[in-house]
Amino acid sequence: MSMDKYGIDSHKLHYHVERVSDWRSGKRVYPIYMEVSPSGICNHRCVFCALDFMGYQSRFLETGPFKEHLAEMGRLGLKSIMYAGEGEPFLHKDMAELILHTKRSGIDVALTTNGTLMTRAISEKILDAVEWIKVSCNAGTPETYAKIHRTKPDQFTKVIRNLEDAVAFRRRSSSRCTLGIQIVLLPDNCDEVETLVRLSRDIGLDYVVVKPYSQHPKSQTETYKDIRYRQYEGLAETLERYNTDAFQAVVRLQTMDQWDRQSRSYERCYALSFWSYLDAGGNVWGCSNFLSDDRFNYGNIYERTFTQIWEGERRMQCMRWVENELDSDACRVNCRMDKINQYLWELKHPRVHVNFI
């Protein structure tokens, strides 16, 4: 089995026992984790893009107001922010400043990016403040990369060079930022996964994550909606030879198996108390599966404080509807909160003989 010391194919909510305990006792809790989209536009048009329905809008979070909310959210107990979302984060002109302010606000920072704009100068500014950076690189050669990312082949070379520069700076500095690559496993790139893993190990990255495709219910793209992963069961064993003390190839076998089965082990979504999504227009959403569905739009940070949004009636209405009416079968298979929902459902609906630990 492939190594996964980062818990990428699992979850980490069980490390937040006090917050979970407050939730179980019916107390209102603030999120632990938030995904933030600083930019609505993207410089790529990946063939598998789940958020294509958002329209790649030319909008950006306003730096000043957002920085004020970061300080507020840090005080309220938000533990982490991953900058990603419907666009490429580094298209925001103040991305480095936002990252540094996030860390100063007491919030851990991570990034998912295509890496093309993560220049040496930017890496040198942000790496000391960032917990991890995951670069979406969905091929092992420039030609295939260009087809999947729908861009020019030289962008692949640029990504690798930017990552090499980041690794070099990390060696020279005190940064402990984890650097990795993520590849969505598709029929178009399956023959290049090993090539990408070898390259990533050789340039000094910490990991490559091989993950399955997951169809977003609102996505305009349906090319891969019927893909199945049983034929790739041996991939983890193939890639294991590249694992070292410093590098891991993580094949998300559990997630692939769940995608193939198209099933889930819980009937309700409980995870919405612990996470949130902020889009590039400043809207706070309960779930990225329901972006553009106003039932899940809690409010806008340009109009209200985060406290007012999180404790507001719109969010309370959404939580009641999710608790009592939402059919989890309508949700995205392998959504980001899937493993957390499995954990929380088990806590609320324990199996028999739980006292025999």
Side-chain angles (χ1 to χ4, degrees):
M1 299 289 287
S2 62
M3 300 170 67
D4 184 11
K5 73 177 184 180
Y6 303 103
I8 293 170
D9 207 22
S10 182
H11 76 91
K12 306 177 188 74
L13 187 59
H14 49 263
Y15 291 105
H16 301 274
V17 176
E18 185 175 350
R19 197 87 54 108
V20 174
S21 178
D22 286 346
W23 169 79
R24 287 196 70 193
S25 63
K27 295 179 182 178
R28 184 175 301 164
V29 297
Y30 278 91
I32 295 169
Y33 163 81
M34 176 179 279
E35 183 173 328
V36 174
S37 179
S39 166
I41 61 175
C42 191
N43 55 342
H44 288 183
R45 292 291 185 272
C46 297
V47 295
F48 58 84
C49 181
L51 296 183
D52 52 6
F53 68 94
M54 295 292 288
Y56 308 108
Q57 302 171 63
S58 182
R59 59 180 185 172
F60 303 88
L61 283 177
E62 296 178 22
T63 301
F66 180 54
K67 287 171 69 173
E68 293 179 9
H69 283 286
L70 283 171
E72 178 196 8
M73 291 187 290
R75 291 192 301 269
L76 292 170
L78 185 69
K79 300 288 187 183
S80 64
I81 284 178
M82 181 184 73
Y83 287 106
E86 68 257 31
E88 165 52 44
F90 285 114
L91 283 169
H92 193 293
K93 63 182 180 63
D94 296 325
M95 194 65 244
E97 180 183 346
L98 292 179
I99 289 168
L100 297 177
H101 192 80
T102 305
K103 189 63 176 178
R104 286 195 295 267
S105 300
I107 303 170
D108 287 345
V109 189
L111 281 152
T112 296
T113 169
N114 61 40
T116 56
L117 303 174
M118 197 180 78
T119 62
R120 178 186 303 178
I122 287 177
S123 289
E124 292 178 356
K125 284 182 181 179
I126 69 170
L127 247 60
D128 286 343
V130 178
E131 296 294 316
W132 54 262
I133 297 174
K134 189 183 295 175
V135 171
S136 179
C137 181
N138 297 282
T141 65
E143 294 74 23
T144 303
Y145 181 91
K147 292 176 183 177
I148 293 177
H149 286 252
R150 291 197 282 201
T151 186
K152 296 179 180 179
D154 64 359
Q155 296 289 288
F156 177 83
T157 306
K158 181 179 288 188
V159 170
I160 299 304
R161 183 172 65 246
N162 288 343
L163 284 169
E164 288 174 328
D165 288 341
V167 169
F169 174 74
R170 185 175 64 174
R171 287 174 180 152
R172 299 193 306 269
S173 71
S174 59
S175 171
R176 294 182 297 176
C177 178
T178 301
L179 298 169
I181 276 177
Q182 176 173 280
I183 178 171
V184 177
L185 184 60
L186 304 170
D188 318 54
N189 62 17
C190 61
D191 293 335
E192 297 186 5
V193 174
E194 189 171 356
T195 302
L196 182 65
V197 166
R198 185 188 307 113
L199 175 61
S200 301
R201 182 201 60 183
D202 291 348
I203 67 175
L205 298 183
D206 298 297
Y207 64 78
V208 170
V209 176
V210 184
K211 64 175 287 187
Y213 173 78
S214 178
Q215 181 70 40
H216 194 293
K218 294 181 179 293
S219 178
Q220 298 169 4
T221 301
E222 295 188 340
T223 305
Y224 305 102
K225 65 182 177 66
D226 296 321
I227 190 173
R228 293 295 179 266
Y229 285 97
R230 187 159 297 145
Q231 60 185 305
Y232 302 113
E233 287 178 349
L235 185 60
E237 185 175 347
T238 299
L239 299 181
E240 191 172 0
R241 72 187 73 170
Y242 296 99
N243 290 343
T244 67
D245 290 340
F247 177 82
Q248 284 81 47
V250 180
V251 182
R252 297 189 62 179
L253 295 174
Q254 294 181 51
T255 312
M256 290 180 185
D257 179 62
Q258 186 151 330
W259 170 258
D260 281 0
R261 288 186 286 110
Q262 294 285 301
S263 63
R264 50 180 59 83
S265 60
Y266 50 89
E267 298 175 14
R268 288 286 184 265
C269 177
Y270 293 139
L272 301 193
S273 294
F274 301 98
W275 96 296
S276 192
Y277 182 99
L278 179 66
D279 72 20
N283 299 297
V284 178
W285 297 87
C287 178
S288 60
N289 187 70
F290 291 94
L291 291 175
S292 76
D293 184 334
D294 277 342
R295 289 176 299 181
F296 289 81
N297 186 341
Y298 297 162
N300 192 287
I301 62 169
Y302 304 136
E303 300 169 358
R304 307 171 74 195
T305 67
F306 190 77
T307 304
Q308 291 170 333
I309 291 171
W310 198 255
E311 296 187 3
E313 181 57 27
R314 289 177 68 175
R315 178 174 173 271
M316 294 303 104
Q317 288 177 350
C318 177
M319 296 298 287
R320 287 192 292 268
W321 185 80
V322 169
E323 172 75 21
N324 298 313
E325 298 185 46
L326 176 65
D327 181 0
S328 64
D329 286 339
C331 294
R332 185 180 185 182
V333 175
N334 289 330
C335 83
R336 195 179 298 281
M337 293 294 108
D338 183 72
K339 294 293 191 296
I340 286 175
N341 272 317
Q342 292 178 31
Y343 169 65
L344 294 174
W345 181 264
E346 179 80 4
L347 285 179
K348 279 214 167 187
H349 304 84
R351 64 189 74 186
V352 297
H353 308 156
V354 295
N355 291 333
F356 295 85
I357 60 173

